[in-house]
């Protein structure tokens, strides 16, 4: 198959590599000429072309740009897509993208997707083969897409090694607010807080243990990618954030009251996350 | 040397193992008979004895119990310690422990120490050899201890593979509030928040990516260990927590105002943590 990847970052670039290894012909589209060059140098894609030219000769188009730009890119790609072509996106929010495409005459050639995979690094150089292996591939609102388009995307996801999950786009955004977006927010905030106070960076460098490194890891994530996600999913995220702040205040109150038993109780409740995480691995 | 480890958890047990491998005779003390039995079964210590009997025959005593209990245990151990014996602790807070021992007639046989090492697991079964290798070994208020006692602890830390850092106990607590204690608090809070909302644990299990696992990892930490740390270091921790909540509110405000550029700006600031973390590794 001919596959076009629009957006040659961590996700798009990693998918390009895996598709190439499967024997597909992979074309690249990226607004950033430096990323185009890098993707070519790294062998992620066979050729970089303008969007219309690449899409017009493709069976499958992957839109892997920041979520705020995704609907416009999908609409542009739908204009040039061959009759039986399929477009899917990979964004971390799904509801606003699906809403933007509601009633589009070619809506059924689009499949709203989200492979739950990634790292805190970004750009073509962060791409690597196998990123999607044993990860979850979410397909949203599949009844809005043509059955052959859904089958095509699900087949590709299975070939990438993903387990499939089908869910409504609003449900998706709600869950992701809790299991991903608020994690990023708490980690960005931790980074910011520690940098604010620890003017002497040497002390952080010196005294931070592996626990800090793990908790703050996501603070390295791309602002270009994450600011739009937080705005697109603001409704659910603000709900999660309020609940997070409430819980912080519970800790604060118990520390102020020197309520050791109360603190332990909150921590024991939080410990239940163990069972959840262990089921995952 | 004869070395007694009081508190056979992750830190005490791991130190016991390494000391045993160095050829020292290691005795164990633990208030919990189940932990005593486990430590014996795992070969962490040669023998478990009551505190007075173990300490009376020791050159070095390690106090590795929760920080709230540490001063009383040190004082009890100082009563039975041979004339030239040395006691050190390994707690995550240092100021209140040093303060509790101020003016003690045998204060100079005690060295306030903190090896920056650990995992989110606890108890004798979490102990493992090499935990301290290439970690930081902090010694606080060394002028309060006899030079030979400091030398003894520093030598042992170097033999465990640690790099030494000497710092004032109040400075220690202030830095640790930022680079460790607030990380734990944010992670416990994340665990709590997600568990609160995601009543259907299957969704967390399904949809959480590796980013969530990393950010929430410390929520698995021991309440018995962490509640006392948060109370002992409440002054600095509350300052860190207020600043953390302020920063969360900055994010919230910018999300509410749909201020994409402002969000990116905060994230870019947080990204500076990259430089700090990379220097570490």
């Amino acid at each position: 198959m001919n596959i076009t990847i629009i957006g040659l970052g961590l996700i798009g670039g990693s998918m390009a590599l895996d598709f190439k290894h499967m024997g597909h012909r992979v074309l690249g589209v990226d607004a950033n000429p430096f990323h185009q060059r890098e993707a070519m140098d790294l062998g992620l894609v066979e050729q970089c072309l303008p969007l219309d030219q690449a899409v017009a000769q493709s069976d499958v188009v992957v839109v892997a740009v920041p979520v705020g730009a995704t609907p416009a890119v999908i609409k542009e790609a739908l204009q040039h897509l061959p009759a039986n072509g399929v477009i899917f996106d990979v964004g971390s929010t799904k509801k606003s993208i699906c809403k933007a495409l509601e009633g589009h005459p070619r809506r059924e050639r689009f499949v709203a997707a989200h492979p739950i995979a990634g790292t805190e690094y970004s750009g073509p150089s962060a791409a690597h083969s196998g990123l999607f292996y044993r990860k979850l591939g979410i397909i949203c609102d599949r009844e809005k897409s043509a059955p052959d388009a859904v089958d095509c995307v699900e087949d590709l996801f299975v070939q990438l090694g993903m387990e499939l999950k089908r869910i409504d786009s609003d449900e998706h955004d709600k869950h992701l607010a809790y299991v991903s977006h608020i994690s990023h927010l708490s980690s960005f905030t931790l980074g910011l807080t520690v940098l604010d106070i620890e003017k002497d960076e040497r002390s952080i460098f010196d005294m931070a243990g592996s626990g800090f490194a793990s908790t703050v890891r996501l603070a390295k994530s791309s602002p270009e990618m994450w600011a739009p996600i937080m705005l697109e999913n603001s409704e659910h995220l603000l709900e999660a954030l309020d609940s997070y702040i409430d819980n912080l205040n519970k800790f604060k109150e118990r520390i102020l009251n020197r309520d050791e038993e109360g603190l332990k109780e909150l921590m024991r409740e939080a410990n239940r996350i163990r069972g959840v995480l262990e089921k995952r691995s």
Side-chain angles (χ1 to χ4, degrees), chain A:
Chain A
M1 286 201 297
N2 286 349
I3 301 182
T4 285
I5 312 276
I6 308 179
L8 300 167
L10 166 67
I11 301 294
S14 298
M15 232 174 232
L17 265 184
D18 284 346
F19 287 151
K20 193 178 85 170
H21 295 156
M22 286 174 205
H24 300 298
R25 182 176 169 237
V26 184
L27 301 171
V29 174
D30 201 297
N32 180 336
F34 178 72
H35 280 183
Q36 285 181 23
R37 162 61 43 208
E38 221 181 348
M40 289 294 294
D41 289 350
L42 293 163
L44 304 181
V45 296
E46 189 187 288
Q47 205 183 351
C48 281
L49 289 171
L51 187 144
D52 55 343
Q53 290 175 36
V55 171
Q57 56 184 297
S58 291
D59 304 291
V60 171
V61 174
V62 183
V63 177
V65 301
V67 291
T70 296
V73 171
I74 295 169
K75 285 178 189 169
E76 194 187 344
L78 282 169
Q79 281 177 33
H80 304 285
L81 188 76
N84 295 318
V86 174
I87 298 184
F88 70 91
D89 83 317
V90 296
S92 283
T93 62
K94 296 269 68 76
K95 195 183 169 188
S96 61
I97 292 168
C98 287
K99 205 164 167 225
L101 288 164
E102 231 169 52
H104 189 285
R106 299 197 69 194
R107 169 65 179 86
E108 63 167 30
R109 302 317 301 162
F110 167 68
V111 178
H114 181 198
I116 308 271
T119 72
E120 67 275 32
Y121 303 106
S122 53
S125 61
H128 56 278
S129 174
L131 177 64
F132 306 99
Y133 184 67
R134 297 191 65 184
K135 302 293 165 58
L136 193 74
I138 300 181
I139 309 287
C140 289
D141 299 355
R142 55 205 297 275
E143 70 288 355
K144 302 278 175 62
S145 309
D148 74 290
V150 173
D151 287 349
C152 168
V153 177
E154 292 191 347
D155 282 353
L156 285 172
F157 276 19
V158 168
Q159 286 172 46
L160 288 168
M162 284 192 270
E163 196 192 326
L164 299 174
K165 186 180 175 85
R166 292 136 186 172
I167 192 176
D168 167 72
S169 59
D170 188 49
E171 274 296 286
H172 168 278
D173 284 14
K174 187 184 159 189
H175 289 303
L176 265 287
Y178 286 90
V179 298
S180 167
H181 307 167
I182 189 78
S183 306
H184 280 79
L185 198 51
S186 77
S187 200
F188 277 122
T189 303
L190 181 63
L192 213 55
T193 305
V194 174
L195 287 164
D196 274 357
I197 302 287
E198 297 278 352
K199 302 294 179 209
D200 168 15
E201 294 196 4
R202 181 75 198 164
S203 301
I204 312 180
F205 162 60
D206 263 1
M207 298 171 66
S210 59
F212 176 68
S214 164
T215 320
V216 86
R217 178 165 76 83
L218 299 179
K220 299 190 265 177
S221 303
S222 157
E224 303 304 315
M225 172 177 169
W226 280 96
I229 290 173
M230 291 187 180
L231 291 181
E232 296 276 317
N233 201 19
S234 60
E235 190 189 328
H236 295 300
L237 180 58
L238 286 170
E239 195 184 293
L241 181 53
D242 284 338
S243 153
Y244 186 86
I245 293 175
D246 283 352
N247 280 319
L248 274 182
N249 281 320
K250 276 190 207 165
F251 274 106
K252 183 177 170 178
E253 196 189 298
R254 293 178 193 200
I255 293 170
L256 281 167
N257 294 337
R258 308 202 69 72
D259 176 6
E260 183 169 332
E261 204 32 58
L263 279 173
K264 285 183 185 166
E265 200 181 283
L266 288 177
M267 292 174 182
R268 264 182 234 121
E269 263 183 73
N271 279 172
R272 288 195 297 119
I273 206 74
R274 270 185 212 159
V276 176
L277 293 175
E278 271 143 34
K279 267 186 261 165
R280 262 192 89 247
S281 55

